[in-house]
Structures are given as C-alpha cells and as structure tokens.
C-alpha cells in the first residue's frame, strides 16, 4: 500500500487502514504525520523487567526496544537523574560554536545557521548518549531569509533501528515504512550507534533500586513509626467489645477514644533505632552511581567535599563535557553539514567546531600554553625588578 508516494509494508495479521499524514512547514508530507501514537499506561517497573526489555531489544530476528524506552521514560521522573542530565546539557548548550574554513572562523556562515533548530539538533545529538540511537526529521529548514524551520525527534518507540523501519503503530509486528533508502527524501538524520542502548540503561537499575528503598522506608515507617493503642477491656460482652474496637480503629482520625470505667488504655511507642539508615544509605549509593554514570563524578553535586576533591570532580566534569563537544562536532560534520548543503546553505567546505575544543587541542599539543592564552606583560616584570632595587 502507498501513502504519499511511499510503500508501506504490513504484517499479514494487520489490516493497514488509510493513514493521513500531516503537512510540514513547506507543504510536504512528514514522517511523524503517518505515525499513530498509542495511548500509554502509567505503570511501575521492577528490576527483572529491565532484563526482559534488554532481551527483547537483543532479539536477533525481531529486535524490539519499545519496553526499554518505556522504562527510560519511567526513571526520568527521578529528580536526581533529571538534575544530572540538566547539568550535562547546560554545560554543552552554553558552549559557543562556530563554522570554520581552513581553520579560520566564518562568522557570516555561522550566523546563517545560528537558529533554534541548530540548538535543538545539538540537544538531540546529546540525548543519543542517554537513550541510544535516535532519528530526527527536518521540517522547513531553509537558507531563505526569515524562514523558521525545526527539527523534531521521531518517537524512539516508533523506530526499528536494526531493520531501518518507521513503525506506524509502534509495534514491530505491525505496519512499517522502510526508510533506509529514503533518508534524504524524508529529511531524516540519524545520531548514535545502532548497537548502543544508552547510558540510561545503567541508570535504570540504580533508580529502580532507589524506588525500592523509598517504598520500603515508607512501609517501615508505618510499621515502626506509628504507636500502638493497647486497651485492656473490663468486659466480656461481645457487643461492648465491638464498640470499643470500633472506637480504637478510629483513634487515628478522631484523636481520642471513649471507654467504660475499668478499661485500661495505653499507647505503646514502637522503637526502631536508626532503622532508616539502611534505606538512606542505599538511596545515597544509587544517587552516587547515577552521578558517576552521567557526569563521571559526584563530589560537586551530591555531598560536601574538600577543596581538593571538588577540584578533581570539576576536572572530571570538564573532561566529560569536552568529550561530548567532540562527539557533537563529529556528528555535525558527518551528518548535519551534508544535509545543510543539500538544503541550499552555503556551507560546503566548512567545518563545525567549538572554540574551546580547539583551544584544548592546541593546549595538549603544545604541552601547556596556547595562542589564545593571555601573554605576560614584559613591563610588569620590569617594574617588579625596579621595585626590588
């Protein structure tokens, strides 16, 4: 069956109905327009489900990463994980970039593509480290003055990475569109490695273990943190005993209880010395592991630290950031720059790079100072010598 000129395959057990594709900014049909988003159910996941999702993703005949992405969506509700990802993104997105020709910055060409869609591309490339292989679609990107283009992420559960297919209903057994030979026509850009499941896979174990600790802590507080109301009733009458039991059951909400003469009422305090520590320590450990997975360190974000360890943590964070900048630069030069040339931008022969990356490369090559570093003032040295005399 054909939809806006492209052939859609389908499983024999599924009847592919007519699918309407939304129009893009330039009037063309878009891939996301044929995707049929499915309702999502809010569920919690267990550790064993991560292993099952990974097994499904590695299935040789019909690999399916949909459950893995649902788990990623679930753990991204964790505040600590979101904070670490936000820190990593801010470090990268705040770094200025330029286009270079023969090692010299081309400010005019750079200005032509310094648009919101360029920053979105950088963010999607960065997210490929977290989620694994990602596909984005260009829409209305043009060198014309005043054009407002955008890039949109194709929902990851609708991509069959190994088969190079757009899954219409997000189901590997359902209707799909082979896009391997249509990437240029459909304006699709791919980022990441096809066999990479993203760093969120390792984070998932720690975040879910942390969820376990929080829920166990809550149950422990209910059992050992709440006092017990003990009543020694001065009666053997079933009706009177039932009435006392009813009043005792409502003690927590009423704040008082009425008994008869002769009854003895005692509030027994439960004791659990520092029982919370086992769960708190596990939560801290999981947070530290997540910090190390995302940014390589935890000393500058999770705990108070000495100046020396904080400086080591900052250097580690800088190393991670530089590696991310290099990865983004490589992806731009490999995939985005050829795409922009096809779209009519005058960027042929130019190279995307970060000034900070260039400076760090130069510093390592020269073993220290760079051409961009501040030079010592010879007059300042002369003045100091005269002062000594």
């Amino acid at each position: 069956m054909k939809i806006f000129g492209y052939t859609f395959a389908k499983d024999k057990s599924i009847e592919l109905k007519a699918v309407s594709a939304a129009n893009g900014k330039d009037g063309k049909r878009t891939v996301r327009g044929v995707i049929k988003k499915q309702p999502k159910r809010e569920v919690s996941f267990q550790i064993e489900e991560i292993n099952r999702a990974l097994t499904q993703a590695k299935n040789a005949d019909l690999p399916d990463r949909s459950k893995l992405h649902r788990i990623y969506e679930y753990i991204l509700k964790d505040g600590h994980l979101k904070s670490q990802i936000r820190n990593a993104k801010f470090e990268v997105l705040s770094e200025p970039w330029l286009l270079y020709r023969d090692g010299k910055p081309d400010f005019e060409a750079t200005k032509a593509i310094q648009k919101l869609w360029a920053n979105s591309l950088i963010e999607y490339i960065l997210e490929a480290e977290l989620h694994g292989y990602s596909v984005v679609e260009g829409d209305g990107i043009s060198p014309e003055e005043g054009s407002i283009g955008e890039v949109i992420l194709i929902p990851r559960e609708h991509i069959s990475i190994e088969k190079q297919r757009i899954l219409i209903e997000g189901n590997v057994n359902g209707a799909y569109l082979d896009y391997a030979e249509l990437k240029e026509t459909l304006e699709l850009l791919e980022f990441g490695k096809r066999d990479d499941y993203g760093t969120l896979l390792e984070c998932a174990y720690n975040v879910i273990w942390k969820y376990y600790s929080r829920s166990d802590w809550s149950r422990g507080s209910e059992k050992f943190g709440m006092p017990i109301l003990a009543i020694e009733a001065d009666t053997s009458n079933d009706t009177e005993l039932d009435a006392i039991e009813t009043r005792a059951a409502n003690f927590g909400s009423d704040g008082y209880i009425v008994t008869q003469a002769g009854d003895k009422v005692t509030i027994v305090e439960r004791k659990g010395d520092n029982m919370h520590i086992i769960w708190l320590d596990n939560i801290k450990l999981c947070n530290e592991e997540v910090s190390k997975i995302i940014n390589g360190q935890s000393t500058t974000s999770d705990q108070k630290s000495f100046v020396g360890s904080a400086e080591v943590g900052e250097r580690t964070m800088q190393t991670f950031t530089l590696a991310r900048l290099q990865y983004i630069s490589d992806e731009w030069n490999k995939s985005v720059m050829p795409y922009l040339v096809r779209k009519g931008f005058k960027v042929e022969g130019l190279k995307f790079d970060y000034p900070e990356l260039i400076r760090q490369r130069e510093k390592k090559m020269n073993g220290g100072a760079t051409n961009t570093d501040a030079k010592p003032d010879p007059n300042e040295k002369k003045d100091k010598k005269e002062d000594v005399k």
Side-chain angles (χ1 to χ4, degrees):
M1 181 175 182
K2 289 189 175 182
I3 298 178
F4 63 91
Y6 303 122
T7 302
F8 284 82
K10 66 173 182 176
D11 185 85
K12 292 181 180 179
S13 62
I14 295 178
E15 181 183 354
L16 182 62
K17 298 179 180 179
V19 182
S20 60
N23 287 326
K25 291 182 179 298
D26 55 3
K28 74 177 185 66
R29 299 289 188 176
T30 61
V31 171
R32 65 186 183 280
V34 302
I35 288 176
K36 298 176 68 176
K37 292 186 178 181
Q38 304 301 309
K40 294 182 179 179
R41 210 161 39 92
E42 290 292 331
V43 296
S44 58
F45 292 94
Q46 310 296 319
I47 290 294
E48 60 268 19
E49 291 179 278
I50 303 176
N51 300 327
R52 284 200 292 268
L54 192 57
T55 300
Q56 292 176 5
K58 291 182 176 181
N59 186 297
D61 298 322
L62 207 60
D64 183 4
R65 301 194 189 193
S66 59
K67 187 169 186 177
L68 208 55
H69 290 305
R70 288 199 299 274
I71 293 174
Y72 291 172
E73 186 176 349
Y74 173 67
I75 66 169
L76 281 171
K77 296 174 183 176
D78 178 62
H80 182 79
L81 175 59
K82 290 187 74 171
S83 173
Q84 288 296 308
I85 293 173
R86 189 163 55 242
N87 289 344
K89 283 186 176 182
F90 287 171
E91 288 286 336
V92 169
L93 295 175
S94 63
E95 198 64 44
W97 51 268
L98 293 169
L99 297 183
Y100 291 83
R101 187 183 298 278
D102 299 327
K104 296 181 180 180
D106 188 327
F107 295 103
E108 185 176 347
T110 302
K111 185 178 179 181
I113 65 168
Q114 281 183 333
K115 311 290 185 182
L116 286 176
W117 57 260
N119 289 331
S120 296
L121 266 177
I122 291 172
E123 189 169 356
Y124 288 140
I125 295 172
L126 182 59
E127 286 181 353
E129 174 193 338
L130 303 168
H131 297 266
Y133 183 87
S134 303
V135 179
V136 301
E137 178 182 22
D139 184 12
I141 296 177
S142 168
E144 296 180 7
E145 190 71 26
S147 66
I148 303 176
E150 61 179 337
V151 287
I152 297 96
L153 177 74
I154 303 299
R156 294 182 177 91
E157 63 270 22
H158 286 269
I159 298 290
S160 175
I161 296 169
E162 292 79 6
K163 302 291 185 179
Q164 296 283 276
R165 294 171 178 172
I166 305 290
L167 306 176
I168 305 303
E169 297 173 342
N171 186 344
V172 293
N173 293 310
Y176 61 84
L177 166 65
D178 284 310
Y179 72 87
E181 297 181 0
L182 297 171
K183 284 185 285 190
E184 291 188 11
T185 306
L186 299 175
E187 295 192 38
L188 299 180
L189 295 169
E190 301 170 287
F191 303 120
K193 299 177 181 178
R194 294 182 185 177
D195 59 350
D196 181 22
Y197 301 102
T199 53
L200 287 180
L201 176 60
E202 289 76 21
C203 291
Y205 290 97
N206 288 281
V207 172
I208 292 178
W209 278 325
K210 188 169 81 168
Y211 287 168
Y212 286 167
S213 294
R214 293 289 293 270
S215 59
D216 290 346
W217 189 348
S218 178
R219 283 195 293 269
S221 297
E222 289 179 3
K223 287 184 178 181
F224 298 102
M226 299 289 290
I228 298 176
L229 180 65
I231 301 176
E232 185 179 331
D234 185 25
T235 181
S236 59
N237 182 277
D238 290 341
T239 302
E240 292 179 350
L241 288 173
D242 289 342
I244 292 174
E245 184 178 2
T246 301
R247 296 188 192 106
N250 295 328
F251 174 70
S253 56
D254 295 339
Y256 64 92
I257 184 170
V258 179
T259 62
Q260 60 187 11
D263 294 341
K264 294 181 181 179
V265 180
T266 307
I267 294 179
V268 181
E269 294 286 347
R270 301 189 187 188
K271 292 185 177 180
D273 294 337
N274 296 324
M275 65 166 189
H276 69 286
I277 290 179
I278 184 173
W279 297 306
L280 183 60
D281 283 348
N282 191 43
I283 290 171
K284 289 179 179 178
L285 177 61
C286 290
N287 282 344
E288 289 179 10
E289 291 294 305
V290 168
S291 297
K292 291 172 184 176
I293 292 169
I294 301 296
N295 290 318
Q297 53 82 36
S298 60
T299 55
T300 59
S301 61
D302 301 334
Q303 58 194 6
K304 293 180 180 179
S305 57
F306 296 107
V307 174
S309 58
E311 289 177 350
V312 171
E314 289 173 358
R315 287 198 296 270
T316 303
M317 181 70 178
Q318 183 187 34
T319 300
F320 269 57
T321 301
L322 290 174
R324 286 170 176 139
L325 295 179
Q326 184 63 62
Y327 172 66
I328 291 168
S329 179
D330 292 342
E331 288 288 344
W332 261 77
N333 291 314
K334 180 185 73 174
S335 303
V336 181
M337 297 301 283
Y339 166 75
L340 295 178
V341 170
R342 293 194 299 270
K343 294 297 294 180
F345 288 87
K346 298 178 181 179
V347 295
E348 194 165 3
L350 295 178
K351 182 181 178 181
F352 178 100
D353 212 341
Y354 287 91
E356 178 63 15
L357 265 183
I358 296 173
R359 180 180 178 280
Q360 292 297 330
R361 290 194 208 104
E362 189 179 331
K363 186 175 182 179
K364 289 183 178 181
M365 292 290 290
N366 296 335
T370 70
N371 294 330
T372 57
D373 286 341
K375 302 295 187 298
D377 187 353
N379 295 324
E380 184 179 354
K381 289 185 177 180
K382 185 177 180 181
D383 294 340
K384 288 182 179 180
K385 291 180 179 178
E386 290 176 354
D387 292 341
V388 172
K389 292 179 181 179

